[in-house]
Amino acid sequence: MAVDVAGLFAEREGDRYALHTRYLNEQMVRVLRTVGFDRQYQRGSGQYLYDAEGEQYLDLLSGWGVFALGRNHPAMREALKGVLDAELPNLVQLDLSALAGVLAERLLHRIPYLEKVFFANSGTETVEAALKFARAATGRPGIVYCSHAFHGLSYGALSVNGDPVFRSGFGPLLPNCVEVPFNDLDALQRALASRRMAGFIVEPIQGKGVILPHDDYLAGAIELCRQSGTLFIADEIQTGLGRTGRFLAVEHWGIEPDMVLLAKSLSGGHVPVGALATRKWIHDKVFDRMDRAVVHGSTFAKNDLAMAAGLATLDVLSSEALIENAAEKGTRLLQVFRQMAARYELVKDVRGKGLMIGVEFGMPQSLRLKASWKLLEAANTGLFCQLIVIPLLTEHKLVAQVAGHGSHTVKLLPPLIISDEDCDWIERGFDAVIRAAHRVPGAAWKLGKLLAENALAARAS
Ligand SMILES: Cc1ncc(COP(=O)(O)O)c(C=O)c1O
């Protein structure tokens, strides 16, 4: 008899914290409990999550950016069921997948200056492929990457990760990886000058902190790469597939990278998949002889469920005009947040494109607020943002995240299907929470005191 997945979930979902404490990552359980995020979601539909009480939440996190179409989109479900119902041959290995051919064709139709696709199973695996392809194509050892970059956590990707928190304890990492500050063309020029750099890997908009490039940065960077024979690798794993209001974020700056990396949303959130699109000559350097036909790859890449998820994603992005919706709703939300920045001294900056938005908080001017801010930050840098995301969840049912370790930026990465009513909901929730954070003493700073005490106690233990 088949496993009754729905029945099993219903029977055991109440045990999830106990199961994870016992068998999985206990620290994650502690984190969720400490910040009061220990909801027990029972169902996901579109941009909404539902808990045991039937309470509806608006998801501004999208599973770290995978649910561009929302959860359980009917077209995605149909496509995935279709694969199983068709009893396709799938992963014969000594055969070629028709669905992979069609997905590659459709992806390249959207990126017409590139000619080949390599499929992987996740974002980090796609990054690994890019690093290997860059070395193989150029015969050079080095990779340049940016401070604060995030490209994944496997060893190659970790070696080009610009956040010491992730790297610490795992060394030694790949040699010949050189860090440069984001948005600094002079530093990039210096790093490329040795002419030993195979690739420059960069997120067009950095996910950690939602940092935008200066207007001339990406065009300047690609020009420097061309001059020094270094390949320009655009990591669009988070920004791609409509997230920023264009199919690729690089389109905002009119550049044509040598490699474009996609993953996250391509999966529909349901079947992991990554795709590296590149130039034919680069691909040909890797797969250069018959006996090297499988020199890079992995067992599950190009599996039919993943390919179908990718095809359904591309289909829904255009049939529901989701890229246009991301652009429109993003413009609206940015305007709303900029108005808040003008009203509230704690809001320092508002950044973003499409539905990738960062709201940055910073030290206020007024004395009482400033004193409270300093106390909180002395306990733990970035703790202030918890005063925003916790009540967003508990009081306004908005699931949002802080954009990285020690960050003062709250990030919004909602499904691209959000409606005007959802934008109203976001505006109401953020406005109320930010307004409350300006009241000292008040409930927000009472929570702050508690969090600071917890942080100090954790440090002492
Ligand atoms: C820009 C970027 N690259 C790569 C990755 C790694 O993707 P994955 O978590 O699927 O390995 C991420 C994940 O957040 C990302 O944001």
Side-chain angles (χ1 to χ4, degrees):
M1 216 177 69
V3 175
D4 172 11
V5 176
L8 194 59
F9 180 86
E11 190 191 326
R12 299 299 303 278
E13 64 92 11
D15 300 338
R16 67 181 84 179
Y17 282 79
L19 288 168
H20 279 250
T21 301
R22 179 142 187 207
Y23 301 117
L24 293 142
N25 183 349
E26 197 175 337
Q27 299 303 342
M28 193 60 199
V29 174
R30 292 179 64 198
V31 168
L32 292 174
R33 288 215 161 112
T34 303
V35 296
F37 272 46
D38 50 341
R39 312 276 133 162
Q40 307 222 353
Y41 299 107
Q42 308 247 324
R43 195 165 68 82
S45 178
Q47 60 273 55
Y48 307 116
L49 288 162
Y50 298 87
D51 68 13
E53 278 73 49
E55 194 76 66
Q56 188 186 47
Y57 297 76
L58 177 57
D59 182 12
L60 305 182
L61 180 54
S62 308
W64 288 335
V66 300
F67 290 111
L69 316 185
R71 282 182 172 77
N72 300 306
H73 191 289
M76 181 62 60
R77 291 164 59 168
E78 279 311 305
L80 298 181
K81 282 188 204 162
V83 169
L84 299 179
D85 290 346
E87 296 189 14
L88 299 180
N90 196 24
L91 292 180
V92 176
Q93 308 297 8
L94 295 178
D95 184 25
L96 300 171
S97 155
L99 295 185
V102 180
L103 179 57
E105 181 181 60
R106 293 191 182 170
L107 279 171
L108 292 172
H109 184 68
R110 306 298 302 250
I111 320 174
Y113 51 90
L114 298 180
E115 296 139 313
K116 291 276 187 179
V117 174
F118 174 86
F119 286 112
N121 301 298
S122 66
T124 201
E125 261 191 50
T126 310
V127 170
E128 297 296 323
L131 303 184
K132 286 180 74 176
F133 280 32
R135 280 183 165 182
T138 61
R140 297 174 173 191
I143 303 289
V144 186
Y145 66 96
C146 290
S147 315
H148 305 294
F150 189 90
H151 299 291
L153 297 177
S154 52
Y155 264 110
L158 191 61
S159 306
V160 294
N161 184 308
D163 181 345
V165 172
F166 285 111
R167 299 161 68 110
S168 157
F170 296 109
L173 302 178
L174 269 191
N176 302 302
C177 294
V178 176
E179 182 172 320
V180 294
F182 187 66
N183 269 331
D184 185 339
L185 287 174
D186 291 340
L188 180 61
Q189 188 166 29
R190 283 194 296 278
L192 297 179
S194 67
R195 301 184 85 86
R196 284 171 54 75
M197 294 298 147
F200 170 51
I201 184 164
V202 64
E203 299 153 88
I205 300 174
Q206 290 196 310
K208 299 277 155 196
V210 192
I211 310 297
L212 273 87
H214 299 154
D215 273 344
D216 62 349
Y217 180 62
L218 295 174
I222 207 165
E223 182 55 34
L224 290 174
C225 286
R226 298 268 141 84
Q227 286 165 11
S228 59
T230 299
L231 301 177
F232 186 101
I233 306 165
D235 181 345
E236 294 255 11
I237 286 168
Q238 187 165 144
T239 52
L241 299 162
R243 168 61 54 196
T244 71
R246 295 282 181 92
F247 184 72
L248 298 179
V250 288
E251 293 168 21
H252 290 288
W253 295 279
I255 61 160
E256 298 187 348
D258 300 305
M259 295 191 217
V260 170
L261 317 185
L262 299 168
K264 290 202 189 269
S265 295
L266 195 62
S267 69
H270 292 279
V271 190
V273 60
L276 179 166
T278 189
R279 302 188 190 282
K280 180 171 168 9
W281 77 264
I282 296 171
H283 194 269
D284 286 353
K285 286 271 190 178
V286 179
F287 300 104
D288 58 345
R289 297 193 310 260
M290 266 170 43
D291 63 321
R292 283 170 58 87
V294 290
V295 73
H296 188 62
S298 86
T299 305
F300 293 106
K302 301 193 286 288
N303 77 79
D304 283 335
L305 281 170
M307 298 300 102
L311 288 164
T313 299
L314 294 184
D315 202 51
V316 175
L317 282 180
S318 37
S319 65
E320 296 187 8
L322 294 186
I323 303 180
E324 293 78 355
N325 193 53
E328 185 201 314
K329 299 300 184 298
T331 303
R332 180 183 160 178
L333 286 172
L334 278 171
Q335 197 184 359
V336 158
F337 284 118
R338 289 198 172 119
Q339 285 162 358
M340 287 188 206
R343 273 201 307 280
Y344 296 120
E345 58 172 317
L346 280 161
V347 182
K348 286 293 171 233
D349 195 19
V350 173
R351 299 180 291 272
K353 282 227 180 271
L355 288 174
M356 181 170 180
I357 296 176
V359 181
E360 185 177 346
F361 296 87
M363 183 138 68
Q365 289 305 313
S366 47
L367 289 178
R368 287 179 88 182
L369 259 185
K370 195 181 198 167
S372 306
W373 169 280
K374 280 186 171 167
L375 269 178
L376 199 60
E377 290 292 303
N380 206 340
T381 313
L383 201 53
F384 173 81
C385 280
Q386 299 300 330
L387 268 54
I388 302 296
V389 294
I390 293 175
L392 277 178
L393 181 76
T394 53
E395 291 165 30
H396 300 278
K397 314 293 177 236
L398 289 167
V399 184
Q401 63 174 324
V402 183
H405 299 111
S407 168
H408 292 121
T409 299
V410 172
K411 179 169 167 184
L412 290 86
L413 212 58
L416 308 187
I417 57 175
I418 59 167
S419 63
D420 280 319
E421 291 70 33
D422 296 325
C423 291
D424 292 341
W425 184 351
I426 293 168
E427 181 174 355
R428 270 196 316 277
F430 271 84
D431 188 71
V433 163
I434 296 172
R435 193 172 347 110
H438 284 75
R439 279 197 291 270
V440 205
W445 292 99
K446 211 164 140 193
L447 169 67
K449 188 164 173 284
L450 190 73
L451 291 173
E453 283 164 7
N454 278 347
L456 291 171
R459 214 189 284 168
S461 68

